[in-house]
């Protein structure tokens, strides 16, 4: 017989969330393993002693984690999503008839807590993974990726000389109505130009265009976008964001996310937001120090640092050796240990040219262009005079052989030897299969495709939350797999014993058993 369901609301009902959430549910298991009660003491000093009660700090962090676990970067959408999910309500400690916090409360609380609170939560989750044997510690793979800032290229303003900020700005272009509505969050220092005269002359034509077309700011489709530079432009919306570009991509305002991953089970060991206008190798020292400190606290020894060519520099090689760390970082293709066919004599610190003449060391100097230390080697005009290969070796105008080599030549050579070894080739494959997929997961599935806050401090909090969510997901998957594999092993042992002694000879009591 055909059935027909008729819905009628009950005045009274007996309903418990705990009865409706399966025991294998992700958020139920997360609630069992993650204790955040220490946040009450950790955040106590950031609240007053009177007034209206704010959001529970534990609830705040749980809401943030849910956002990144569910790949939701909007606070407003996060609250709407949580209110529709029974398992998330159970995890947050809310009943179905309780109203969740207002979405703006999340933003205000995120700004209230300093970066150290978010880093402390990250460290404690990392310790959970370490205690379960998920972290080996000896090898860390480092990489970076740009994360889009919460600002548009259309918001760019032109930096001006320090003498007269407002007068110069009015000469460059007339402010439009939209410009007057935007609050300029940049400090005076961030608005002062740092470009050279040559760089300034390159934007002269674009300034004329701006005077006519106020709303045609430099962006992906603008022909003038090639002139945009962090030396000549800034964003009043988010002054900490920097213009950066990847080959084949349009220029965007980004932050740089620097990530360190343990190679054992791909657990994130460190993450931080940096300005996107510097090279990766300028951040390696800071990353290494932080990772070392975190691992040393846990009694784990760091031995190897694996990274791509972007982190290559003589200063970094020397720093890692001073820390008793082995670097597996391929050098730039431009690196040369000296001129072609010249032989270096380490004991006397000089080179021998193809004709057997000595080119001695002269001085150490700082390259003004690359800001790196170099050693200069120069021969005399006497030894080069009458040389049969002088025209090819010296060129048209030089009278003596002169060249410079990086001050860290020996560190470069030791690193190259490691990179080209069998272990180095293994480390390269390990890095590619470790840190790159982690970044892909964070950006595509863990809400790190864009920073929904303003300022580098807030961006750093966002990146830590995404990393915490990632490590927690890894942790739950690992302990579930370990439990199942342990149960299978026990079942296999029992099966073999039964096969040998018979079913009646085995007495089970909980997880213990004995043979009669």
């Amino acid at each position: 017989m055909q059935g027909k369901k008729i819905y009628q609301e009950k005045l009274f009902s007996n309903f418990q969330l705990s009865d409706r959430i399966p025991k294998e549910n992700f958020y139920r298991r997360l609630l069992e393993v993650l204790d955040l009660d220490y946040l009450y003491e950790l955040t106590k000093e950031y609240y007053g002693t009177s007034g209206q009660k704010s959001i529970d700090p534990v609830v705040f962090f749980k809401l943030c984690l849910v956002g990144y676990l569910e790949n939701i970067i909007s606070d407003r959408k996060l609250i709407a999503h949580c209110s529709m999910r029974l398992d998330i309500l159970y995890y947050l400690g809310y009943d179905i008839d309780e109203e969740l916090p207002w979405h703006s409360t999340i933003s205000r609380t995120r700004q209230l807590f300093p970066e150290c609170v978010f880093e402390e939560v990250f460290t404690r989750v990392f310790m959970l993974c370490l205690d379960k044997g998920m972290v080996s510690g000896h090898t860390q793979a480092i990489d970076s990726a740009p994360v889009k800032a919460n600002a548009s290229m259309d918001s760019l303003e032109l930096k001006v000389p320090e003498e007269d900020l407002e007068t110069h700005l009015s000469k460059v272009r007339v402010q439009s109505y939209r410009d007057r509505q935007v609050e300029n969050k940049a400090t005076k220092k961030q608005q002062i130009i740092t470009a050279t005269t040559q760089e300034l002359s390159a934007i002269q034509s674009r300034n004329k265009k701006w005077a006519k077309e106020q709303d045609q700011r430099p962006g992906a489709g603008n022909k003038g976008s090639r002139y945009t530079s962090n030396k000549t432009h800034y964003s009043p919306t988010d002054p900490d964001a920097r213009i950066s570009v990847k080959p084949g991509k349009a220029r965007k305002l980004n932050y740089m996310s620097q990530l360190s991953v343990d190679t054992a089970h791909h657990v994130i060991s460190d993450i931080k937001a940096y300005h996107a206008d510097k090279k990766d190798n300028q951040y390696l020292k800071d990353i290494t120090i932080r990772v070392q400190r975190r691992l040393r606290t846990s009694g784990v020894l760091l031995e190897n640092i694996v990274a791509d060519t972007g982190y290559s520099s003589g200063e970094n090689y020397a720093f890692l050796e001073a820390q008793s760390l082995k670097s597996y970082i391929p050098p730039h293709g431009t690196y040369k240990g000296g001129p072609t066919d010249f032989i270096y004599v380490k004991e006397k610190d000089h080179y021998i040219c193809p004709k057997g003449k000595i080119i001695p060391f002269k001085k150490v100097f700082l390259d003004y262009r690359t800001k790196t230390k170099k050693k200069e080697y120069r021969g005399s005009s006497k030894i080069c005079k009458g040389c049969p290969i002088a025209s090819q070796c010296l060129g048209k105008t030089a009278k003596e052989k002169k060249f410079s080599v990086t001050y860290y030549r020996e560190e470069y050579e030791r690193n190259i030897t490691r990179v080209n070894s069998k272990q180095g080739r293994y480390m390269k494959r390990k890095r590619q299969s470790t840190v790159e997929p982690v970044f892909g997961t964070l950006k595509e599935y863990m809400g790190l495709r864009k920073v929904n806050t303003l300022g580098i401090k807030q961006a750093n909090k966002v990146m830590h939350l995404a990393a915490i969510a990632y490590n927690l997901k890894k942790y739950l998957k690992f302990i579930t797999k370990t439990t199942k594999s342990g149960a299978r092993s026990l079942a296999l042992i029992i099966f073999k014993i039964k096969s040998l002694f018979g079913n009646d000879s085995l007495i089970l009591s909980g997880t213990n058993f004995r043979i009669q």
Side-chain angles (χ1 to χ4, degrees):
M1 187 174 74
Q2 184 186 52
K4 185 177 181 181
K5 176 71 175 68
I6 300 174
Y7 172 72
Q8 184 176 359
E9 286 187 328
K10 296 179 181 179
L11 292 176
F12 303 98
S13 62
N14 182 16
F15 181 88
Q16 283 189 312
L17 273 175
S18 57
D19 295 336
R20 296 284 178 166
I21 312 301
K23 292 189 176 181
E24 64 274 10
N25 178 266
F26 176 85
Y27 287 103
R28 184 162 193 151
R29 290 188 292 125
L30 182 60
L31 183 63
E32 294 170 356
V33 300
L34 183 63
D35 181 15
L36 294 174
D37 286 346
Y38 60 87
L39 283 170
Y40 294 118
E41 189 63 31
L42 194 63
T43 61
K44 187 178 180 180
E45 60 182 295
Y46 307 110
Y47 292 97
T49 55
S50 60
Q52 188 177 0
K53 288 185 178 181
S54 181
I55 184 175
D56 186 321
V58 173
V59 173
F60 163 74
F61 267 93
K62 285 182 177 181
L63 276 169
C64 290
L65 289 177
V66 169
Y68 292 98
L69 288 166
E70 299 289 322
N71 199 17
I72 301 171
I73 61 175
S74 167
D75 296 336
R76 190 187 297 268
K77 289 182 179 179
L78 172 62
I79 296 298
H81 179 80
C82 292
S83 63
M84 298 294 291
R85 288 276 298 271
L86 295 182
D87 55 346
I88 295 177
L89 288 174
Y90 178 73
Y91 174 64
L92 296 175
Y94 278 72
D95 214 329
I96 55 172
D97 57 350
E98 282 188 90
E99 189 175 353
L100 289 172
W102 190 246
H103 65 84
S104 62
T105 310
I106 301 176
S107 176
R108 290 197 299 270
T109 309
R110 191 191 295 116
Q111 295 176 40
L112 174 67
F113 296 155
E115 296 170 89
C116 61
V117 173
F118 293 82
E119 189 166 349
E120 176 65 22
V121 177
F122 171 82
T123 301
R124 297 215 181 196
V125 172
F126 177 76
M127 293 303 175
L128 280 177
C129 298
L130 192 145
D131 292 341
K132 285 294 180 180
M134 297 175 65
V135 179
S136 63
H138 57 76
T139 303
Q140 302 295 315
I142 298 174
D143 204 357
S144 68
V147 180
K148 193 178 184 309
N150 193 15
S152 170
M153 290 289 285
D154 290 339
S155 69
L156 288 181
E157 291 281 2
L158 184 67
K159 290 184 177 181
V160 298
E162 186 176 5
E163 307 84 56
D164 194 347
L165 198 62
E166 295 299 329
T167 305
H168 187 83
L169 186 61
S170 63
K171 289 180 181 179
V172 174
R173 61 181 179 84
V174 179
Q175 286 191 331
S176 66
Y177 173 78
R178 182 184 63 183
D179 297 325
R180 292 194 295 272
Q181 306 310 305
V182 178
E183 179 188 356
N184 195 329
K185 296 181 174 63
T187 62
K188 188 174 181 180
K189 184 178 179 181
Q190 290 172 317
Q191 299 180 53
I192 295 171
I193 199 163
T194 56
T196 62
T197 306
Q198 184 179 3
E199 290 171 324
L200 283 174
S201 62
I203 63 169
Q204 185 176 4
S205 60
R206 188 181 68 251
N207 289 342
K208 292 180 180 178
K209 182 179 180 181
W210 273 7
K212 296 179 181 179
E213 304 174 10
Q214 295 299 317
D215 294 327
Q216 297 301 315
R217 303 296 180 80
N222 194 321
K223 292 181 180 178
S225 61
R226 64 181 182 276
Y227 295 112
T228 54
S229 166
N230 291 303
K231 293 182 177 180
T232 58
H233 295 83
Y234 74 98
S235 170
T237 307
D238 188 357
D240 288 337
R242 296 290 185 268
I243 303 167
S244 65
V245 63
K246 292 186 74 174
K249 303 283 186 179
R251 292 193 175 196
K252 292 180 180 179
L253 286 164
N254 293 323
Y255 284 102
M256 185 61 68
S257 176
Q258 295 284 349
L259 186 73
S260 173
V261 180
D262 187 85
T263 56
H265 291 278
H266 302 189
V267 174
I268 298 174
S269 56
D270 188 73
I271 191 169
K272 190 174 180 181
Y274 293 92
H275 293 300
D277 58 344
K278 292 184 179 180
K279 297 179 180 178
D280 288 339
N281 57 27
Q282 294 175 281
Y283 298 128
L284 182 68
K285 292 182 182 179
D286 187 40
I287 299 166
T288 305
I289 290 171
R290 287 203 319 275
V291 173
Q292 266 190 315
R293 189 188 303 124
R294 184 171 285 122
L295 292 173
R296 194 182 295 121
T297 305
S298 311
V300 179
L301 182 64
L302 176 61
E303 298 178 9
N304 307 312
I305 295 292
V306 188
D308 60 21
T309 307
Y311 294 87
S312 169
S313 76
E315 291 85 350
N316 285 342
Y317 296 146
F319 166 77
L320 293 175
E321 287 190 5
Q323 300 291 318
S324 301
L325 300 175
K326 295 178 182 178
S327 60
Y328 293 89
I329 307 173
H332 289 287
T334 56
Y335 167 76
K336 291 182 180 180
T340 307
D341 298 330
F342 279 58
I343 301 172
Y344 178 67
V345 182
K346 179 181 176 181
E347 293 76 16
K348 298 184 177 180
D349 194 14
H350 65 230
Y351 282 82
I352 299 176
C353 77
K355 293 299 180 182
K357 303 297 183 181
I358 294 176
I359 311 298
F361 163 72
K362 288 296 181 182
K363 65 177 181 179
V364 176
F365 68 98
L366 186 67
D367 191 320
Y368 74 93
R369 187 177 60 85
T370 60
K371 307 298 181 184
T372 57
K373 286 174 69 175
K374 289 188 176 182
K375 299 173 75 172
E376 182 181 294
Y377 295 84
R378 185 173 70 245
S380 66
S381 56
K382 293 180 181 180
I383 65 173
C384 294
K385 189 176 181 180
C387 179
I389 62 170
S391 58
Q392 295 88 3
C393 186
L394 301 179
K396 295 181 180 179
T397 58
K399 300 298 182 182
E400 70 277 342
K401 185 63 176 177
K402 174 184 173 182
F403 57 89
S404 62
V405 179
T406 176
Y407 181 81
Y408 303 97
R409 182 185 182 279
E410 294 183 17
E411 287 83 354
Y412 261 102
E413 295 299 329
R414 286 193 288 268
N415 176 76
I416 290 172
T417 301
R418 284 193 295 271
V419 169
N420 292 333
S421 66
K422 184 178 179 180
Q423 179 71 5
R425 292 190 293 272
Y426 167 77
M427 288 294 188
K428 181 181 178 180
R429 295 193 300 270
K430 196 71 174 173
R431 180 191 67 80
Q432 291 173 338
S433 62
T434 299
V435 70
E436 292 179 4
V438 172
F439 254 129
T441 302
L442 287 174
K443 296 189 76 170
E444 295 298 325
Y445 305 108
M446 308 293 286
L448 205 58
R449 58 191 178 277
K450 180 182 178 180
V451 172
N452 65 332
T453 57
L454 298 176
I456 193 167
K457 291 183 178 180
Q458 302 300 319
N460 192 33
K461 298 173 187 178
V462 166
M463 292 181 188
H464 272 94
L465 286 169
I468 293 168
Y470 177 89
N471 281 350
L472 284 172
K473 210 166 186 178
K474 279 278 181 185
Y475 177 78
L476 283 177
K477 186 176 181 180
F478 181 81
I479 61 175
T480 303
K481 187 186 297 183
T482 306
T483 304
K484 287 182 178 179
S485 62
R488 282 196 296 268
S489 300
L490 180 62
L492 184 61
I493 293 171
I494 294 173
F495 174 76
K496 289 182 177 180
I497 292 175
K498 284 183 176 181
S499 301
L500 290 172
F501 299 98
N503 293 342
D504 297 334
S505 302
L506 189 65
I507 298 176
L508 295 175
S509 176
T511 55
N512 300 316
F513 57 88
R514 59 188 176 86
I515 302 170
Q516 289 182 330

